[in-house]
Amino acid sequence: MKSLSLTFIFSCAVYLAYGQSAEGLTPLERKQLTVLSEPATLYKGFLQVGYNFKYSSPGRLFDNNGDITTPNDFNYTGDNLDHIFRIAYGISDRIQLSVSIPYTNSELEALLQFNETGNQLTAIKIDVNKKGFTDLQTEAKFQLIKESRTFPSIVAGLGAYFPTGNNERSFTTDPNTGDAKYDDITGGVGTSLLGTLQLRKIMYPYLLSLEFTYFKGTDGEIIENGQSIDVIGADSQIWQFVAGMHLNEWITFTNKIYFQRLSFNSEIEPNETIPIFDTSKKDLLTFDPTLSFQFGRIRSEQFISIPVAGKNSGAELEYSMSLQYTF
Amino acid sequence: MIRLISIVVIILLYQAVNAQNGDSLLLNETTLSRPLNVHKKQIRISGDYFLALSSAQFIGSDKVEDSGRTRTFSGFNIDIRYGITEFLQVRMNLRRSSEVIIEPALFDAFGADFFILNSSVEEIGFGDPEIWLDYRIPFLGPRTDLVINVGGSLPLTSTGENQPGIQDTPSIIDFFEGIDFRNVNRIKSINTGNGVPRLGYGFQFKHRFKRTAFNLQSSYLLPLKTSTEDRWVPSDTGFDETIEIYERQIPDNLFISGSFEIQMRPWLNVAVGTSYFRSRYGWNETEGQKLAIPEAILSQASFTYEIIATKNLWLGQTLNFNLSAENIYSPLLLTTAVKYNFFL
């Protein structure tokens, strides 16, 4: 009985010591925590600088019924590239501010091909370009409840997308060939607000997280060939569930299930108030397996976003790679 | 009862001792120093996920303009190998890929006032499983490995074409007043099996220095007979499809690769390499004639790294990019590999 009691006391001591270990880290060790072991917001005074690259190519789509289909009306060739530069700073151990500067560089060649009975095949080529800085994103995150041994952390976030992108688009045609050039907007329509709520629990070497984000779009205007056009803003809700684990002390693997629903504020007329490839309602469910490497203060992440289901959205894979450094 | 417990304890002890032997082997090995075959009673399960970040089509050696054409290519490969002895391993390989090509189709009119035509070719599914025996030549010393491979693929998965589907949807295009546009898309679905067994042979060679090594590998796969397949052919005046049975010869495939690797850290190995793939001697029967499938050649360069995450679990990535190509799609291909090892 005595030995049993001693064993129990020893186990409790080890458990308490382990529980305190995260709090007892040096500043350098805190900067080297992995994506699964770091707290939900940055520690006070920490500055994180990051770069994120995303690539996808146009291809199959989910139609209005959720079936996979090929593009209607046009054939596409092209690449979608997004570059996002991000800075985050820990105001205190509970409050984090971040600013993201996205840059898009998408080139799409759309080929409209039609035939008249008995006549020769006619083809019109449309070069769609979308290049430049898009809307500046800011977000403040607050740890309402810090994670404890039994309870998850609860984090609330508030943010805004400011219309810093280019809101001018032009559509020009070559009178000889009928080919067209379409320079699309990169943003700049109106300010969007977002709110986030996240529950996050570390059970080393595992992590579970559930996050909900709501975007509230506002109406705005774009300039098309010198003329102002009113645009209706879109609302969007995003659910993310993450289950991750450490493969070793510095490599993590996470499974993310991502769902986005986008809806416009009211009825719209296609091709008049929104870019030509958008539709009024979009759903997208993806599975994003992610590998993250923590090399000291440098973190490298890669994931492939695999579309599982959707409506009026793309059905092709997206590759994402990011690098970040904590000062 | 005591006898039974004793037997169980002895078995568990044996497994524990054996596992320690295996674990200590894995603990002391780097990517560079480990033999090309797995050890006796070692099982390695590898999962590779590959994704084409972009693709270029080559007809002859000329790159074709991608006007209106999209190609997406991804999939995974599962490799399971077991060490029968220290010098002989058996390995099984199963690959599932998804390749979709959407391009403008140059069909003639089908009676509609106006229409837009796409042609989609989908090759989605498991390929034929491959089984190989790899014999590592003994007595070459710790610096040099030479492995002889003999195996092939078995025609266990579906082959031929499924009946094409037609998607006919209204168009949003209203460029011309009073004329109704509509979208017509012919989706051709091709199964990824070969339909015939294939025989394969090859070798792997590795020579190590203190922190570097050279690798050379080659394999050759050839079909053992011709196969009979189904294909669907659209009529000249519409989408009435008729089925045609034809004979075909799967091309022979030659693969050669070489690489130079550096063990940067005990847990990190990087390699640069080059590879050459050639596919030829294939033909399709068309109207009683044997029509040769154009010889396809793909030369690529690669950059690879492998990380020993734990002694049992290794992670790696390879980026392949094009050097030259003929009659083939050349992808910028990213492959992510996870390898798990344990001993029986």
Side-chain angles (χ1 to χ4, degrees), chain A residues 55 57-60 68-73 75-77 109 111-118 121 247-248 250-251 271 291 293 302 304 316-317 319, chain B residues 49 51 53-54 66-70 72 74 104-106 112-116 118 120 167 169 171-173 175 183 185 267 307 309-310 315 317 334:
Chain A
Y55 171 85
S57 64
R60 291 169 299 168
I68 289 183
T69 183
T70 50
N72 284 348
D73 302 310
N75 283 100
Y76 304 139
T77 302
E109 185 187 279
L111 193 75
L112 167 65
Q113 186 176 249
F114 57 93
N115 199 349
E116 190 177 7
T117 308
L121 189 96
L247 299 180
N248 64 12
W250 55 278
I251 303 177
N271 294 338
L291 265 179
F293 301 94
Q302 287 184 87
I304 291 162
E316 292 300 345
L317 302 165
Y319 170 72
Chain B
Y49 183 83
L51 170 71
L53 298 181
S54 67
D66 281 339
S67 195
R69 184 188 300 109
T70 306
T72 55
S74 64
L106 297 173
D113 287 337
F114 277 81
F115 55 89
I116 304 149
N118 294 333
S120 303
Q167 286 179 339
T169 52
S171 170
I172 62 165
I173 291 173
F175 291 170
N183 299 290
N185 182 30
W267 50 268
I307 288 171
T310 70
L315 299 171
Q317 283 193 310
L334 178 72

Side-chain angles (χ1 to χ4, degrees), chain A residues 9-62:
Chain A
I9 290 166
F10 180 72
S11 303
C12 288
V14 168
Y15 187 64
L16 284 172
Y18 178 77
Q20 287 168 356
S21 61
E23 297 302 321
L25 294 175
T26 65
L28 181 62
E29 287 169 332
R30 287 180 173 188
K31 288 171 185 171
Q32 297 178 356
L33 290 172
T34 66
V35 68
L36 298 192
S37 57
E38 68 181 5
T41 57
L42 282 173
Y43 286 108
K44 182 182 177 184
F46 282 18
L47 179 71
Q48 209 170 59
V49 179
Y51 164 72
N52 182 206
F53 164 78
K54 290 181 179 177
Y55 171 85
S56 64
S57 64
R60 291 169 299 168
L61 306 163
F62 289 112

Side-chain angles (χ1 to χ4, degrees), chain B residues 136-150:
Chain B
R136 186 160 70 96
I137 307 292
F139 314 122
L140 292 179
R143 283 190 158 199
T144 306
D145 260 358
L146 177 62
V147 175
I148 306 296
N149 322 113
V150 180

Side-chain angles (χ1 to χ4, degrees), chain B residues 194-212:
Chain B
N194 289 312
V196 291
R198 292 193 300 170
L199 173 70
Y201 51 87
F203 74 91
Q204 294 161 271
F205 173 79
K206 182 170 189 170
H207 186 73
R208 302 170 185 85
F209 301 97
K210 192 176 178 183
R211 285 178 56 196
T212 58

Side-chain angles (χ1 to χ4, degrees), chain B residues 248-261:
Chain B
R248 72 166 176 172
Q249 171 86 24
I250 305 287
D252 293 9
N253 290 343
L254 168 70
F255 179 78
I256 302 170
S257 72
S259 66
F260 173 72
E261 65 181 84

Side-chain angles (χ1 to χ4, degrees), chain A residues 21-311:
Chain A
S21 61
E23 297 302 321
L25 294 175
T26 65
L28 181 62
E29 287 169 332
R30 287 180 173 188
K31 288 171 185 171
Q32 297 178 356
L33 290 172
T34 66
V35 68
L36 298 192
S37 57
E38 68 181 5
T41 57
L42 282 173
Y43 286 108
K44 182 182 177 184
F46 282 18
L47 179 71
Q48 209 170 59
V49 179
Y51 164 72
N52 182 206
F53 164 78
K54 290 181 179 177
Y55 171 85
S56 64
S57 64
R60 291 169 299 168
L61 306 163
F62 289 112
D63 67 12
N64 199 37
N65 301 317
D67 299 325
I68 289 183
T69 183
T70 50
N72 284 348
D73 302 310
F74 296 93
N75 283 100
Y76 304 139
T77 302
D79 298 308
N80 304 322
L81 301 172
D82 288 309
H83 308 269
I84 302 166
F85 305 92
R86 181 175 178 272
I87 297 173
Y89 183 72
I91 301 280
S92 75
D93 282 355
R94 285 174 179 263
I95 303 174
Q96 170 188 309
L97 293 180
S98 66
V99 178
S100 297
I101 307 165
Y103 181 87
T104 189
N105 183 5
S106 298
E107 289 180 338
L108 197 71
E109 185 187 279
L111 193 75
L112 167 65
Q113 186 176 249
F114 57 93
N115 199 349
E116 190 177 7
T117 308
N119 287 357
Q120 210 172 0
L121 189 96
T122 308
I124 296 174
K125 198 169 76 173
I126 305 172
D127 286 325
V128 182
N129 294 308
K130 191 176 179 178
K131 279 185 189 174
F133 287 101
T134 65
D135 292 346
L136 187 81
Q137 303 162 15
T138 59
E139 190 179 13
K141 279 188 170 180
F142 313 90
Q143 274 198 71
L144 300 176
I145 297 175
K146 273 194 158 186
E147 184 175 341
S148 67
R149 199 169 293 125
T150 47
F151 290 104
S153 64
I154 298 178
V155 180
L158 284 173
Y161 281 33
F162 295 105
T164 54
N166 176 24
N167 73 335
E168 290 185 30
R169 73 180 182 201
S170 61
F171 191 82
T172 52
T173 53
D174 184 330
N176 297 321
T177 61
D179 290 349
K181 191 176 177 220
Y182 182 86
D183 288 316
D184 201 1
I185 62 168
T186 61
V189 174
T191 304
S192 302
L193 300 174
L194 69 92
T196 303
L197 193 66
Q198 183 194 39
L199 274 73
R200 189 172 182 272
K201 179 75 185 133
I202 299 170
M203 294 162 289
Y204 194 87
Y206 305 104
L207 174 129
L208 289 174
S209 164
L210 181 66
E211 185 175 335
F212 173 71
T213 307
Y214 192 86
F215 286 86
K216 180 68 184 168
T218 53
D219 298 352
E221 64 169 22
I222 60 172
I223 312 294
E224 185 174 279
N225 289 338
Q227 288 192 328
S228 174
I229 298 173
D230 290 337
V231 176
I232 295 166
D235 291 352
S236 174
Q237 47 179 300
I238 296 172
W239 290 90
Q240 296 181 75
F241 173 71
V242 172
M245 64 176 289
H246 280 85
L247 299 180
N248 64 12
E249 290 80 11
W250 55 278
I251 303 177
T252 65
F253 178 72
T254 53
N255 298 284
K256 183 164 81 178
I257 295 168
Y258 175 97
F259 174 74
Q260 180 178 27
R261 169 161 286 176
L262 184 141
S263 55
F264 287 85
N265 293 340
S266 60
E267 287 294 316
I268 54 151
E269 291 294 324
N271 294 338
E272 291 183 3
T273 55
I274 53 170
I276 60 170
F277 299 119
D278 285 357
T279 50
S280 61
K281 285 183 180 177
K282 285 181 175 181
D283 284 348
L284 183 62
L285 178 72
T286 65
F287 169 60
D288 307 344
T290 308
L291 265 179
S292 173
F293 301 94
Q294 187 74 39
F295 305 104
R297 297 190 201 183
I298 300 171
R299 181 180 300 162
S300 167
E301 273 188 6
Q302 287 184 87
F303 72 81
I304 291 162
S305 184
I306 303 167
V308 178
K311 283 184 179 178

